[in-house]
Every structure is written in structure tokens, then in C-alpha cells.
Amino acid sequence: MTPNLSPIFAGDLLYLHCNDSQDGSTAIWKFNGNKKNQSNTLKIAAASSKDSGIYNCISNGQTSDDFNLEVFEYVPIASLSITTGQPVMRKNAKVLLELTNDDGLEGWWCRVNRGMKTRRIKLKLNNENPTSFTFETTELKVPETIYWCEKNNTSRSNQVVLRTTDNDVILEMYPFPAIAGEKMTLKCLVWGTKEVTKSVFYKENTNIMSVQGDTYNILTVDEPGVERYKCKATYRYKDQTVDPHVYDSDVQDVPVHVCPVRAVLSDTMGCSCPSCDRQGSYMYYKQNGASWTMLGQNKHPDGDGTYHCRAVMDNMRTLPSNAVRYNHSISGPVIGILFFIVLLGLFIFAVAFYKWNKKRNERVDIYEQVPMRQGDTNYEAINMRQVKEGEYDTLQPGAEGRQKTGGEYEALTKREGKDEVYHTLGENVASGGDGGYEALKTAGIQKDEYETLKTKQPEGGTGAVSGGDGGYEALKTAGIQKDEYETLKTKQPEGGTGAVSGGDGGYEALKTAGIQKDEYETLKTKQAELEKVEEIKEKK
């Protein structure tokens, strides 16, 4: 095999030779046991994984040993490129080549292959371990010259294939070799002038495109393989007054190979390699004009700029990823603002939930707390913690020592506890009538909460006016203590001896704790009735 490459990558140019065909007979080639073609030399213009396998040649009835070929669909760890010149040059021309390797060039050398001969080129490095080195080729005298560089026969660069021509018109291709499914540019160039007015491009001697100028862009290249192209240029030289020249270029083999594995770079600067079949690290590169500068081992983009990345293995790597413009000065604050908004939303939600939960468990005091009177067992205390909005405890009836007169007591409705709750006692003491008092009429207070004052008539009596021994039972109140109502005080007129003697006896208004004057009108009666009430009060 020439050139003798190790390892072999997608796009490499290879020649397999059957050495025993010296008598002029044609060798037969087998690939994985199947006949491939007949020739003494088998050319692989652009290697791909489809070319991996076992090769044999048969010449003069003899079969060669197996030749195992493995092609990796990655790219080499180092890069070799043309800095001055073109892939197709005129004879005896020279070009400048540049070798670069991110890990340095210490221990590297280059090789050049011409036909069956390969020579080694020593690199004269100016310092210990530079990452790039430029050198000039010798004069190009043969139709095809192949350059590449390597280290310890394990790591190597890509190939640079230089061809020569005697014509003034040449066909150039970018990139070389072409990659299937991607863009390819063909140029029809003329030595000594740039004034190309028209170009016609041919594929396998068929006219495929005519353009003004010298450039033809093919948006998508066909399937992998080798195609033969040429071009025809119409041009003038500077200061030329005669008719323009029209000439053809040489026919050039245009190899097209499958795309090597490519890394992927996300908008957030995350590098990945979904198609990689082996582990590796990731390297980032920042664009500086027309070149790219490596950031360093395990360094991540941290500033504004355009970046791409690669996945790097021991002696191979992927193609560069897509380029991404990164604006760190914008993305940083945006991420900070979004983070703050999320935190603020969580805080507002927590506060709202706390208030809602507190309101749901809140106890509403519907009744004011009334302290228990010592010795008064008629009423149970209202338990404020067990009372919720809309609930009312009933007054406990039937206490010990108290006569149940009207059944259970309904609860006081709070909204009805206004000034008009207690109506005045109506006076019904007309002469000769059955003296008495109407029941206390209350708004929302049941009959048996306040019993009526009952007139007690003596036998044969006709009323208070006639001097009967009328009297009144004590006011029986539910939940109103003895000291809440003061005693009725007798108001004696001057010189009077009481009701019996016809004095103008009367009573002062009931004085109550927290009850206004107009809530109860004064009871006016006679002296005998007062004495009876005092007696009943003493008993109470």
C-alpha cells in the first residue's frame, strides 16, 4: 500500500499494488472474497468505512496473503493545510504547508510520497514544543505528490495532495476531498489573470453549468465516489486588446467521501457527540478572524464570541461542530433574572398558602365572654374555642333548684341584639282593672327567657287602687344576676304615709348595669305593692 498510512481515515488516497505482475499480466483483485476489478494497481481515491475489509490479488495463478484494511470515520489528530499556493500547480512550482497540533509538535516529522517512493522530512522546530510549523515543499515535478505528517507511527495528520499541469486553465475544488451531502465549490482559474468572464463546467464530458465569472457552487454533493470534472474558461489578460482566450483545463478526479463523525454544540455551549463509538474529551475553539484558537484542556467558553468544539480521542477526533455565537454578558443577567422570578413566584405562593391556611383555621368569637357568677349555676359558660361562625350555644335549662317554665331557651341571635331588644313594660293599672304588667317583649328573646310580672290579687280585691294587697313576683331573668338590677326605691311624698293613705307613692326607674334609662320605664304603683316587692326581693 502506498502511501503507507497508519491509521487510515475517511478521505485518504490509497494505492494497493500487486508486486508479482512483472511479466505484464493483469492482476485480479478480491475484496472480502469477491472479485473487484482487474489491474495491477487498485486505487482508492477517497477511503470510507465501506472500504474496510480483506484484500487479495491474484497474479500468474498465485494468490497474495490477506491485506487487512480498516478505515476510521474520524479525522486525524493533527492538521496539514496549504497556506500559499493551490492543490493544482504548474510544474516546478512550490507551495507552503502548515502543520498544527493542539498538544504540540515535539517528536513529529513529515513524509512525502511520489509514486512508489516515500521520503521522510525532518521539522526544524524553533522552540521546544510549538503547536504549529510552516515549511516549503520542493519543486513539484510529477503529476501527483502526497504530503502528510506523523508521530511514532500511531498519530498522524491528514493528507495534502498536490498535482501539476501544463495548461494555463486549472480546475480547483474546495474542500478537497469533497464530503457527501455537503456543499462543494468548483473554480475555473487562469494563471496570470483574474479576468475570467465566463466559465463552463463539465462532469464526465457533459455540460452541467455555465456561469458568469469563475465560480460554481454545488449546494449538495452526490453519493460517495469519484467523479471526473473539467472546466472551460473565457478570459483576458490585463491590457489585452485582442479577442478573449477560451481554453479547457485538465480533467480532474474529484473524490467524494462520507462525512466523518461531527460533534454538536448547543446554544448553551454544551458539546456532545451522539455518533461517537468511543469515549473522548471535548475541546472548545474560539474564532479569531479566519482562524480558530483552542481554549485549552477542559476549558469552557466564558466570554462573548463565536465557538465550535470537537470530541478528541487518543489519536483521532471528530470534525468541528456547528459554530455558535455566545453572548455571555446577556445570557448571564437573563439567567439571573429568570432565577429571581422563579424565587419570587415561590415566595408569593408560600405567603398566599400561609394566609389561606390561617384563615381556614381561624376561630371567630361570636359572643363576648361573660364571667360566671359565684353561686349561679343556672347557666353554663360559653366555650369560646368551640364556637364557630354561625353557631350559637343554647342556654342550659332545667338547672338545679330552678323551675322549668318554658322549655329550652333559644340562642340569642347576635344581629338582633340592638337597642330595641327590650320593650318597655306596659302599664295596665287602670282603676278597677285587673292590675298587671305585660310580658317583656324582646326581639329574638323567647317568652320564657324573661317571665312576665304577675299581679297577685288578694281575695276579694279589685286592684291596687282599691287598696288590695296586690303584689308582684320577682323578676325572673335568664342569665341576669341579682346585682344587675338595683332595688326599687320608694319615693314618699311630703307628709304622706303610703299608698293606703292616698299618698302619691311611686318608684324610681329600674337602674341596671349597662341598660339605658329608656329601655325600661319606671313602674308606678302604691306603697303596699312596694312592700310586697321588697319582701319578695329579700326572699330571692
Side-chain angles (χ1 to χ4, degrees):
M1 181 180 69
T2 59
N4 189 13
L5 303 174
S6 179
I8 300 170
F9 295 101
D12 281 342
L13 170 61
L14 305 173
Y15 294 93
L16 298 181
H17 305 278
C18 195
N19 293 332
D20 282 344
S21 58
Q22 297 178 358
D23 58 354
S25 62
T26 302
I28 299 174
W29 290 93
K30 285 187 177 182
F31 173 60
N32 291 332
N34 300 317
K35 290 185 178 181
K36 194 171 179 67
N37 59 9
Q38 295 184 4
S39 64
N40 292 335
T41 300
L42 179 63
K43 180 180 179 180
I44 301 175
S48 69
S49 58
K50 294 181 180 180
D51 297 315
S52 296
I54 298 175
Y55 290 83
N56 303 98
C57 68
I58 302 173
S59 180
N60 296 325
Q62 296 182 348
T63 302
S64 69
D65 294 336
D66 292 343
F67 185 87
N68 188 20
L69 183 68
E70 183 178 9
V71 180
F72 296 96
E73 290 191 350
Y74 293 87
V75 295
I77 196 68
S79 175
L80 185 63
S81 59
I82 300 173
T83 59
T84 302
Q86 303 293 337
V88 180
M89 301 291 292
R90 303 189 78 171
K91 284 186 178 180
N92 301 320
K94 297 180 181 180
V95 299
L96 290 179
L97 301 178
E98 181 181 28
L99 174 65
T100 60
N101 180 38
D102 295 334
D103 293 331
L105 297 176
E106 183 179 2
W108 283 76
W109 63 85
C110 293
R111 295 184 182 273
V112 55
N113 174 262
R114 297 181 182 94
M116 297 295 295
K117 297 181 179 178
T118 300
R119 291 181 53 238
R120 178 174 173 175
I121 302 172
K122 183 178 180 180
L123 303 180
K124 298 180 180 179
L125 304 178
N126 295 327
N127 52 57
E128 293 181 357
N129 192 28
T131 57
S132 65
F133 181 76
T134 302
F135 62 96
E136 184 181 60
T137 67
T138 59
E139 293 181 352
L140 301 176
K141 298 181 178 295
V142 297
E144 183 179 76
T145 304
I146 304 173
Y147 282 87
W148 76 98
C149 301
E150 60 185 32
K151 178 182 179 180
N152 298 330
N153 295 323
T154 57
S155 299
R156 51 166 284 233
S157 72
N158 59 290
Q159 294 175 322
V160 171
V161 180
L162 301 174
R163 294 181 173 90
T164 61
T165 181
D166 292 327
N167 296 343
D168 289 335
V169 180
I170 59 175
L171 175 67
E172 291 290 349
M173 180 186 66
Y174 307 93
F176 184 86
I179 298 175
E182 296 193 2
K183 178 181 177 181
M184 180 177 70
T185 299
L186 297 178
K187 284 190 174 184
C188 196
L189 304 179
V190 179
W191 290 105
T193 183
K194 295 182 179 180
E195 296 183 9
V196 178
T197 58
K198 182 180 178 180
S199 298
V200 180
F201 294 89
Y202 298 86
K203 177 181 178 181
E204 302 294 344
N205 292 322
T206 301
N207 185 340
I208 60 172
M209 181 61 64
S210 178
V211 299
Q212 298 297 318
D214 60 3
T215 303
Y216 169 42
N217 292 315
I218 302 175
L219 298 180
T220 303
V221 183
D222 294 337
E223 293 295 322
V226 179
E227 304 289 348
R228 297 177 65 83
Y229 287 82
K230 75 174 184 178
C231 69
K232 179 185 292 186
T234 301
Y235 61 95
R236 291 176 179 271
Y237 288 104
K238 189 176 181 180
D239 299 330
Q240 181 178 338
T241 58
V242 296
D243 292 339
H245 302 286
V246 180
Y247 288 102
D248 292 348
S249 71
D250 289 334
V251 176
Q252 300 283 350
D253 288 342
V254 178
V256 179
H257 68 90
V258 296
C259 182
V261 176
R262 186 184 296 275
V264 177
L265 182 62
S266 67
D267 292 339
T268 57
M269 298 291 106
C271 190
S272 61
C273 183
S275 302
C276 289
D277 59 359
R278 59 195 65 204
Q279 295 294 327
S281 58
Y282 295 102
M283 304 293 293
Y284 290 88
Y285 300 80
K286 184 176 182 180
Q287 187 175 20
N288 291 318
S291 62
W292 296 83
T293 303
M294 187 183 70
L295 298 184
Q297 291 286 347
N298 300 321
K299 286 190 177 181
H300 198 273
D302 58 358
D304 296 350
T306 301
Y307 297 88
H308 69 217
C309 68
R310 293 177 184 260
V312 180
M313 295 74 177
D314 290 337
N315 58 356
M316 60 190 72
R317 56 184 177 173
T318 65
L319 284 176
S321 70
N322 53 302
V324 175
R325 177 69 184 176
Y326 182 56
N327 295 319
H328 182 267
S329 58
I330 295 177
S331 59
V334 168
I335 293 174
I337 291 173
L338 292 177
F339 182 75
F340 174 78
I341 291 174
V342 171
L343 288 182
L344 181 61
L346 292 175
F347 176 77
I348 293 174
F349 175 81
V351 171
F353 179 82
Y354 172 78
K355 289 184 176 181
W356 172 81
N357 191 58
K358 182 179 179 182
K359 184 176 181 180
R360 191 181 69 168
N361 298 327
E362 187 178 29
R363 305 296 184 184
V364 181
D365 292 341
I366 300 173
Y367 299 104
E368 295 182 359
Q369 189 170 359
V370 179
M372 291 287 292
R373 306 295 185 184
Q374 185 175 2
D376 189 351
T377 61
N378 292 339
Y379 300 97
E380 292 181 349
I382 295 176
N383 190 338
M384 306 308 296
R385 292 187 300 272
Q386 296 177 354
V387 179
K388 299 182 179 179
E389 189 172 358
E391 297 179 357
Y392 300 90
D393 290 339
T394 59
L395 299 173
Q396 177 69 25
E400 184 180 356
R402 175 181 175 88
Q403 182 180 356
K404 182 175 180 180
T405 60
E408 296 183 355
Y409 300 99
E410 293 182 0
L412 288 173
T413 305
K414 187 174 182 181
R415 63 176 176 271
E416 296 173 352
K418 301 180 181 179
D419 293 339
E420 67 273 22
V421 168
Y422 299 95
H423 291 211
T424 59
L425 293 174
E427 185 177 356
N428 189 14
V429 205
S431 176
D434 188 6
Y437 295 88
E438 295 180 357
L440 289 171
K441 297 180 179 178
T442 62
I445 303 176
Q446 303 301 317
K447 171 184 175 183
D448 47 3
E449 288 185 322
Y450 289 92
E451 293 185 352
T452 61
L453 296 174
K454 297 179 180 178
T455 306
K456 186 177 182 183
Q457 298 291 348
E459 294 180 2
T462 61
V465 177
S466 63
D469 190 13
Y472 298 91
E473 290 182 355
L475 288 170
K476 297 179 180 181
T477 61
I480 303 177
Q481 302 302 322
K482 173 182 178 181
D483 54 350
E484 291 185 339
Y485 294 90
E486 295 184 355
T487 61
L488 299 172
K489 296 182 180 179
T490 304
K491 183 178 181 183
Q492 299 290 347
E494 293 181 3
T497 60
V500 179
S501 59
D504 188 12
Y507 295 93
E508 293 181 39
L510 288 171
K511 298 179 181 179
T512 62
I515 302 177
Q516 303 299 323
K517 174 181 178 181
D518 55 353
E519 289 185 306
Y520 296 94
E521 294 179 354
T522 60
L523 299 173
K524 297 181 179 181
T525 186
K526 295 182 179 182
Q527 182 66 28
E529 296 169 353
L530 173 62
E531 291 176 354
K532 190 65 175 178
V533 172
E534 291 291 341
E535 181 180 355
I536 293 172
K537 178 182 177 185
E538 290 294 331
K539 292 179 180 181
K540 184 66 175 180

